[in-house]
Amino acid sequence: MNVPSAPGRRLTAGLFYTVLAAWAFAVWSAPIDSVQGVIQKILYVHPPLAFGAYLGFFCTALFGGLYLWKGDDRWDRWSLSSAEVGVLLCTLMLLTGPIWAKGTWGKWWSWDTRLTITLLQYLVYLAYLLLRGFTEGSERTARFGAVYAIAGVVLIPLNYFAIEMAAGRAIHPENLGDGSLGAGMGMPFLLGIVVVLSAFAYLVVRRYEVACLRDEAARREVEATGSEGAWAT
Amino acid sequence: MGYMIAAYVISVGSVAAYASYLALERARLRKQLDETGSDPSSS
């Protein structure tokens, strides 16, 4: 198997570091919220992390579906890479959220609809990674993982519309809409989304490259020893 | 202020740590492949 050099690594890295610098300046110079104070600036990292996690889980399902359709191992590697980065971003969302909650609600956690579904979604994709990590790696595992990822993607719209479904019983703030942000808050928020999405692209490409190299190392080991099982993504 | 700084340090630091892990893992695998034969992507 030819180990491809991951496409776009330098481009995604350059974009990420450029936008990161602009974002840091925008967050620093953003106005202080008159109600919450400086802790409100967590807004510029927490929802963008949520969007990044959603994107990661969506890509896991999308690439998993392409793997089932085409049967090409590369789609399985993209799927696994997206899942790992998605879980990382979801972990950070689940860490920054309680920090913000402690500063504003006075408690770290609430079994609110949005928070509960987010935790469930996190555990679903964490289980996906455990499944992939604890099994030897085979076509059967990849196929099962793809079906599992596609089934799990239903939690994304469920999570997004959780507050509307809670019909006024949710403690988590509503999804942002037109006019939700005060003057001077739109740009740092937008840059936060671009930073997280470019970080997602950069990390997924790098993780994909590692997956290719691991598979190639496993393939060579099989050739050397004559044993079975050449997947190690 | 402390909560806000903690949220940013955890987020940026974790992404940087994961990117570093991937870079180290990539370097280790490339070295391993170089030792076991020619790596088509190293050129």
Side-chain angles (χ1 to χ4, degrees), chain A residues 1-5 9 16 20 23 27 38-39 41-45 49 81 84-85 88-89 92 95-96 99 102-103 108 199 202-203 206-207 209-210 213-214 216-217 220, chain B residues 1-30 32-43:
Chain A
M1 181 186 74
N2 188 14
V3 180
S5 187
R9 183 158 46 90
F16 173 62
L20 182 67
W23 174 65
V27 170
V38 75
I39 198 171
K41 290 195 177 190
I42 294 178
L43 171 79
Y44 309 128
V45 68
L49 285 169
S81 302
E84 193 167 297
V85 178
L88 170 72
L89 298 179
L92 296 176
L95 288 172
T96 55
I99 290 172
K102 179 64 177 170
W108 296 102
Y202 173 61
L203 293 174
R206 296 219 72 156
R207 179 63 182 82
E209 192 174 19
V210 166
L213 292 168
R214 281 180 180 165
E216 176 64 11
R220 290 187 188 181
Chain B
M1 180 66 116
Y3 286 132
M4 191 271 285
I5 291 172
Y8 278 89
V9 167
I10 289 169
S11 300
V12 176
S14 297
V15 169
Y18 181 65
S20 301
Y21 158 72
L22 291 179
L24 289 172
E25 180 69 359
R26 177 174 170 270
R28 183 188 71 78
L29 287 163
R30 282 204 177 279
Q32 181 185 333
L33 290 171
D34 286 345
E35 288 169 355
T36 57
S38 62
D39 176 5
S41 71
S42 60
S43 57

Side-chain angles (χ1 to χ4, degrees), chain A residues 19-107:
Chain A
V19 182
L20 182 67
W23 174 65
F25 177 75
V27 170
W28 180 260
S29 55
I32 306 291
D33 185 72
S34 58
V35 178
Q36 293 188 29
V38 75
I39 198 171
Q40 181 269 346
K41 290 195 177 190
I42 294 178
L43 171 79
Y44 309 128
V45 68
H46 177 68
L49 285 169
F51 295 145
Y54 287 163
L55 179 64
F57 300 148
F58 175 76
C59 288
T60 306
L62 176 68
F63 294 140
L66 286 169
Y67 171 70
L68 290 175
W69 182 28
K70 301 283 187 185
D72 189 330
D73 295 349
R74 288 178 295 182
W75 292 122
D76 180 57
R77 287 187 210 112
W78 283 117
S79 182
L80 179 58
S81 302
S82 302
E84 193 167 297
V85 178
V87 166
L88 170 72
L89 298 179
C90 197
T91 304
L92 296 176
M93 176 182 56
L94 284 170
L95 288 172
T96 55
I99 290 172
W100 196 359
K102 179 64 177 170
T104 52
W105 302 345
K107 56 184 178 181

Side-chain angles (χ1 to χ4, degrees), chain A:
Chain A
M1 181 186 74
N2 188 14
V3 180
S5 187
R9 183 158 46 90
R10 288 189 180 131
L11 180 69
T12 54
L15 175 68
F16 173 62
Y17 289 119
T18 303
V19 182
L20 182 67
W23 174 65
F25 177 75
V27 170
W28 180 260
S29 55
I32 306 291
D33 185 72
S34 58
V35 178
Q36 293 188 29
V38 75
I39 198 171
Q40 181 269 346
K41 290 195 177 190
I42 294 178
L43 171 79
Y44 309 128
V45 68
H46 177 68
L49 285 169
F51 295 145
Y54 287 163
L55 179 64
F57 300 148
F58 175 76
C59 288
T60 306
L62 176 68
F63 294 140
L66 286 169
Y67 171 70
L68 290 175
W69 182 28
K70 301 283 187 185
D72 189 330
D73 295 349
R74 288 178 295 182
W75 292 122
D76 180 57
R77 287 187 210 112
W78 283 117
S79 182
L80 179 58
S81 302
S82 302
E84 193 167 297
V85 178
V87 166
L88 170 72
L89 298 179
C90 197
T91 304
L92 296 176
M93 176 182 56
L94 284 170
L95 288 172
T96 55
I99 290 172
W100 196 359
K102 179 64 177 170
T104 52
W105 302 345
K107 56 184 178 181
W108 296 102
W109 185 262
S110 167
W111 292 106
D112 170 86
T113 315
R114 163 64 64 79
L115 275 66
T116 306
I117 295 175
T118 302
L119 183 63
L120 176 65
Q121 190 173 24
Y122 174 70
L123 293 175
V124 163
Y125 284 93
L126 190 64
Y128 171 90
L129 290 183
L130 293 175
L131 167 78
R132 302 302 304 264
F134 289 159
T135 52
E136 274 294 311
S138 65
E139 186 180 339
R140 189 178 173 194
T141 306
R143 283 181 170 276
F144 181 80
V147 173
Y148 182 89
I150 292 168
V153 84
V154 73
L155 287 170
I156 295 175
L158 192 67
N159 194 354
Y160 188 78
F161 294 109
I163 295 169
E164 282 85 346
M165 288 188 295
R169 296 190 304 275
I171 187 173
H172 190 282
E174 291 179 2
N175 296 326
L176 292 172
D178 288 341
S180 298
L181 297 174
M185 295 178 180
M187 183 53 73
F189 182 75
L190 184 66
L191 285 171
I193 293 173
V194 178
V195 162
V196 170
L197 297 187
S198 59
F200 174 81
Y202 173 61
L203 293 174
V204 167
V205 168
R206 296 219 72 156
R207 179 63 182 82
Y208 173 80
E209 192 174 19
V210 166
C212 291
L213 292 168
R214 281 180 180 165
D215 283 351
E216 176 64 11
R219 188 191 66 79
R220 290 187 188 181
E221 191 176 335
V222 168
E223 280 183 357
T225 62
S227 59
E228 293 182 354
W231 288 30
T233 53

